[in-house]
């Protein structure tokens, strides 16, 4: 049997409009042949593997039914969580193995970007049946197929999407497709479930869509006390799309008349900690559908429904959600036929945009901020990959906005450095041209915060001479003072574990422990926490494999607290390991202020500094700069806020 060409379907944008049209024509033919009971045996001898890491009824069964109807065979791992994935097998290994058993893979996975990873490792075509909250392209084909049948066209229609537009993957694929067909989109989310920034950016940048906020007036049951976004193709006809009130110069634009209402359920399984906070979710019923703006609208839903769509609407002739589900078989038959019939020609997935793919040779590599990104769970073999999305954070944060090449979400880095000068800077917009040059030269390094930069061997760009505030002897005294305070304050030293923040805090932890041992004869367990990795990790410094956290008094130790960010991550790492009885914070130097409201319980020395100043402690290996062995010390210097300011100073 010849191998099928690798026509992966990861995003709805992998299909040209003409291909979608051809799929619809084929789906019509398959509908008829299904009615007649004479479906062609196009897939005879072929095997489809359905790998579902998440529950599914419609999608998996309609794919399998479509394959059977075409004479093909199906092997299924419907509950991947109970197969080898449960034993810790990577997605890459799984799809490589399955490529030897099947001619095509249909994959559903809870992580954003999983389908893209699978397509890179599978040697057979991969069809995305939903990857986290990212996309669900084959559902979109069913949606568009039925919508167009009912309305006769897609161009110029106004489709309202409501409910969970943040975590719902069907709506993301649907928005991308509607934009390509020239439809208008009214995004009417439930509060806190707004369309993600990167989705809006993609519609605006690639499809030229412009958007305006509109008031929901009589449609307010769709997006309770919230405005909606009205997205329209750019063009001369745009103004005509707004309703009469707007044309008459009303201050607020009002929601347009709808051709379709696409209702979605709250994707509670993706809400994580926010799950309990879902309230005021929409409820669409006969009353909603009586208004002037909804009278002509067909009612759509990808199903399953929970309580957002009333059963009383099932008999309403405008309800087409069961037709969407039924279209699953002929539409997916058409997709399989497309794979079978295009044996020779390999359709390359289109690169979605022309933005620069970052080549970051420097370590540390940035980590995708989306905890549900596939690069987080499959980090053993999957290095994060970013595109430069913008020269400043789009979500109000200043910094370099990096877009993950797998999940598409943005991560903002606030500090950048140059691998040649080994200096780092806080990013500001004036730095754009430097960052671009370094990026092109391959000398750009990016850091989450000064600590990460300094631990990686970078020095800040600084102004003026540094002032030594502590010498080696004074630092040793501060360590003694910390040990003394701990002995005095902590009544049961046998229940204490000292956890130092790597690397300086860990060096200090060992020193404090030694002091305590000298004074009290008691040797306290010592651990280190690495906060620079993806997720904080706790390491036993006494060679054991496990750090006991439960019911212990943890003394968390670092050299200086600058932002408080490190402490936050260290606490999160501790909490992952167990439930301590108490956590006390100790620092060598308390500089008197920090960005987060975190106060140390013990300080070796109080050293009030200005916010613009930075305190830097040089200990052990860190004391030796370059080849010259320098003594241990603590210094204070002013940070130059930006490189442009620094350059002005140098030249001025
Ligand atoms: C959708 C999904 O899985 O994203 N279901 C489906 O495939 N028809 C929608 C949902 O689960 O809400």
């Amino acid at each position: 049997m010849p191998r099928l060409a690798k026509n992966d379907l990861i995003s709805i944008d992998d299909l040209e409009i003409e291909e979608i049209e051809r799929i619809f024509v084929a789906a019509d033919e398959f509908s008829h042949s299904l009615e007649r009971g004479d479906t062609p045996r196009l897939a005879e001898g072929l095997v489809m593997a359905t790998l579902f890491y998440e529950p599914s009824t419609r999608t998996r069964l309609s794919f399998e039914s479509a394959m059977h109807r075409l004479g093909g065979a199906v092997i299924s791992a419907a509950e991947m969580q109970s197969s080898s994935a449960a034993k810790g097998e990577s997605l890459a290994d799984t799809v490589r193995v399955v490529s030897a058993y099947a001619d095509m893979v249909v994959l559903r996975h809870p992580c954003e970007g999983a389908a893209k990873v699978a397509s890179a490792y599978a040697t057979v075509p991969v069809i995305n049946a939903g990857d986290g909250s990212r996309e669900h392209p084959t559902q979109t084909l069913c949606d568009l197929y039925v919508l167009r049948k009912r309305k006769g066209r897609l161009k110029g229609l106004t489709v309202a999407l409501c409910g969970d537009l943040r975590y719902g993957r069907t709506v993301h694929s649907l928005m991308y497709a509607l934009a390509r067909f020239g439809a208008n989109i009214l995004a009417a989310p439930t509060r806190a479930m707004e369309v993600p920034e990167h989705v809006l950016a993609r519609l605006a940048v690639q499809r030229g869509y412009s958007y305006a906020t509109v008031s929901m007036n009589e449609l307010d049951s769709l997006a309770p006390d919230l405005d909606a976004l009205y997205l329209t193709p750019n063009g001369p006809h745009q103004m005509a799309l707004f309703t009469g009130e707007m044309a008459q110069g009303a201050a607020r634009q009002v929601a347009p008349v709808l051709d379709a209402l696409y209702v979605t359920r709250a994707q509670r399984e993706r809400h994580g900690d926010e799950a309990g906070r879902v309230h005021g979710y929409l409820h669409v019923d006969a009353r909603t559908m009586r208004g002037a703006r909804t009278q002509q609208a067909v009612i759509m839903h990808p199903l399953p429904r929970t309580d957002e769509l009333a059963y009383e609407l099932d008999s309403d002739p405008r309800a087409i959600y069961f037709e969407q589900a039924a279209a699953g078989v002929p539409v997916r038959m058409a997709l399989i036929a497309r794979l079978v019939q295009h044996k020779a020609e390999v359709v390359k997935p289109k690169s979605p945009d022309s933005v620069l793919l970052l080549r970051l040779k420097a370590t540390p590599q940035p980590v995708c901020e989306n905890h549900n990104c596939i690069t987080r769970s499959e980090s053993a073999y999957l290095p994060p990959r970013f595109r430069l999305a913008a020269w400043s954070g789009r979500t109000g944060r200043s910094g370099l906005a990096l877009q993950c090449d797998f999940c598409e979400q943005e991560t903002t880095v606030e500090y950048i450095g140059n691998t040649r000068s080994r200096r780092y800077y806080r990013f500001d917009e004036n730095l754009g041209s430097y960052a671009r040059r370094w990026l092109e030269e391959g000398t750009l390094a990016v850091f989450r915060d000064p600590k990460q930069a300094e631990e990686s061997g970078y020095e800040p760009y600084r102004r003026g001479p540094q002032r030594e505030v502590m010498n080696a002897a004074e630092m040793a005294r501060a360590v003694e003072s910390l040990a003394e305070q701990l002995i005095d304050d902590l009544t049961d030293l046998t229940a204490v574990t000292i956890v130092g923040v790597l690397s300086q805090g860990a060096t200090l932890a060992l020193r404090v422990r030694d002091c305590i041992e000298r004074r009290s004869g008691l040797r306290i367990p010592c651990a280190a926490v690495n906060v620079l990795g993806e997720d904080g990790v706790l390491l036993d410094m006494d060679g054991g494999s496990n750090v006991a956290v439960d019911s212990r008094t943890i003394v968390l130790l670092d050299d200086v607290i600058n932002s408080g960010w490190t402490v936050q991550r260290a606490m999160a790492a501790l909490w992952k390991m167990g439930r301590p009885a108490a956590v006390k914070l100790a620092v060598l130097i308390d500089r008197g202020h920090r960005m987060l409201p975190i106060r140390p319980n013990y300080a070796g020395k109080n050293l009030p500094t200005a916010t613009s100043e930075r305190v830097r402690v040089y200990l052990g290996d860190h004391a030796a700069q370059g080849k010259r062995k320098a003594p241990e010390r603590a210094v204070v210097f002013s940070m130059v806020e930006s490189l442009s300011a620094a350059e002005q100073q140098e030249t001025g």
Side-chain angles (χ1 to χ4, degrees), residues 58-59 108 136 139 169-170 265 267 302-304:
R58 265 154 301 276
T59 306
R108 171 170 288 188
H136 192 347
Q139 177 65 43
R169 53 194 169 204
T170 63
R265 77 181 167 91
Q267 308 282 307
L303 303 178

Side-chain angles (χ1 to χ4, degrees), residues 365-606:
Q365 291 283 331
V367 170
C368 182
E369 270 173 20
N370 171 16
H371 285 269
N372 202 42
C373 175
I374 190 72
T375 59
R376 300 290 294 259
S377 51
E378 306 268 322
S379 58
Y381 63 96
L382 205 62
R385 203 162 68 199
F386 294 93
R387 294 163 186 282
L388 190 63
W391 295 100
S392 74
R394 273 201 264 261
T395 40
R397 284 160 68 187
S398 84
L400 218 50
L402 308 182
Q403 184 178 36
C404 174
D405 194 37
F406 294 97
C407 76
E408 290 187 276
Q409 298 196 24
E410 280 179 16
T411 291
T412 306
V413 290
E414 289 179 41
Y415 292 83
I416 67 168
N418 184 285
T419 54
R420 260 202 307 259
S421 68
R422 310 287 295 174
R423 298 272 190 99
Y424 77 88
Y425 316 87
R426 193 196 178 91
F427 183 84
D428 71 32
E429 256 122 89
N430 302 325
L431 268 183
S433 60
Y434 290 95
R436 192 185 289 270
R437 200 170 69 221
W438 298 344
L439 181 63
E440 281 159 8
E441 293 170 359
T443 58
L444 180 74
V446 298
F447 308 105
R448 192 166 25 209
D449 74 347
K451 179 161 181 102
Q452 196 183 34
E454 288 167 14
E455 293 279 356
S456 313
Y458 284 70
E459 288 295 319
Y461 202 100
R462 66 179 68 127
R463 175 190 347 177
Q466 56 187 37
R467 177 159 58 91
E468 183 173 296
V469 286
M470 280 169 97
N471 59 26
E474 285 166 321
M475 289 212 288
R477 272 202 294 281
V479 167
E480 292 281 345
S481 157
L482 275 178
E484 216 168 286
Q485 293 173 46
L486 292 176
I487 294 170
D488 284 351
D489 194 52
L490 300 168
T491 39
D492 182 10
L493 281 177
T494 59
V496 173
T497 302
I498 305 186
V499 177
V501 178
L502 275 179
S503 55
Q504 305 263 83
T507 309
L508 289 169
L510 291 172
R511 293 185 188 179
V512 171
R513 187 251 297 266
D514 287 348
C515 280
I516 294 178
E517 194 175 356
R518 250 185 287 115
R519 284 158 183 260
S520 69
L522 200 78
R523 194 170 165 81
I524 293 177
C526 229
V529 60
N530 182 356
V531 295
L532 296 180
E534 212 162 279
D535 293 306
V537 197
L538 222 54
L539 313 158
D540 189 341
M541 290 209 280
D542 300 321
S545 54
N546 251 324
V547 180
V549 168
D550 275 327
S551 312
R552 310 247 341 141
T553 297
I554 305 289
V555 175
L556 191 62
L557 182 60
D558 205 355
D559 52 357
V560 193
I561 306 174
N562 285 298
S563 61
W565 171 88
T566 319
V567 175
Q568 239 186 5
R569 280 183 65 89
M571 295 285 268
L574 281 175
W575 244 257
K576 256 197 346 225
M577 297 294 293
R579 291 289 169 270
V583 180
K584 305 271 188 180
L585 186 58
V587 288
L588 185 73
I589 299 172
D590 185 1
R591 56 176 306 199
H593 55 80
R594 54 215 65 88
M595 266 149 64
L596 295 173
I598 296 172
R599 263 193 99 74
N601 304 84
Y602 315 103
K605 187 178 168 85
N606 290 300

Side-chain angles (χ1 to χ4, degrees), residues 342-380:
H342 291 261
K343 274 190 201 111
E345 137 209 12
V346 177
V347 182
K348 276 229 169 78
K350 284 150 284 300
S351 146
D353 46 44
S354 56
V355 283
L356 236 45
L357 196 63
L358 244 63
R359 289 173 303 125
L360 288 171
K361 298 195 198 100
T363 48
Q365 291 283 331
V367 170
C368 182
E369 270 173 20
N370 171 16
H371 285 269
N372 202 42
C373 175
I374 190 72
T375 59
R376 300 290 294 259
S377 51
E378 306 268 322
S379 58

Side-chain angles (χ1 to χ4, degrees), residues 182-198:
N184 309 298
I185 304 164
L186 185 76
T190 295
R191 189 175 292 286
M193 295 180 203
E194 289 87 357
V195 183
E197 278 295 317
H198 68 270

Side-chain angles (χ1 to χ4, degrees), residues 54-60 108 129-130 132 135-136 138-139 143 167-171 262 264-267 269-270 301-305 308 325 332:
E54 266 192 349
S56 164
T57 311
R58 265 154 301 276
T59 306
R60 185 170 65 82
R108 171 170 288 188
E135 281 207 50
H136 192 347
T138 67
Q139 177 65 43
D143 299 341
Y167 295 103
R169 53 194 169 204
T170 63
V171 286
Y262 192 95
T264 62
R265 77 181 167 91
Q267 308 282 307
E269 68 274 33
R270 295 185 220 296
H301 195 304
L303 303 178
R305 75 174 128 185
E308 64 285 346
R332 289 178 172 115

